[in-house]
Amino acid sequence: MTTLPGSQGVNWMVMQQPIEISRNQIERFAKLISIDARPVQPQNNRFVLRSS
């Protein structure tokens, strides 16, 4: 199996200050990571915690 089944938890880190990237950087990244195989998950009872 080369792709995770999507049943694991995921930890997201969200920056307090936005980080901007150019269209060129997005296009270059899309060429490197052309397939996002993780399916969209329902929110269920998950929530976002904010760290100070």
Side-chain angles (χ1 to χ4, degrees):
M1 181 178 274
T2 59
T3 304
L4 300 174
S7 57
Q8 309 82 357
V10 175
N11 292 323
W12 287 88
M13 296 179 67
V14 180
M15 304 295 195
Q16 287 185 346
Q17 299 297 320
I19 298 173
E20 296 183 12
I21 62 174
S22 68
R23 178 180 299 272
N24 185 10
Q25 289 172 309
I26 293 171
E27 290 170 355
R28 288 174 58 196
F29 181 80
K31 287 180 183 176
L32 290 172
I33 311 296
S34 60
I35 299 173
D36 182 2
R38 185 176 178 91
V40 175
Q41 301 288 306
Q43 186 174 353
N44 295 331
N45 292 322
R46 291 186 290 268
F47 53 92
V48 176
L49 297 175
R50 180 178 176 194
S51 176
S52 53

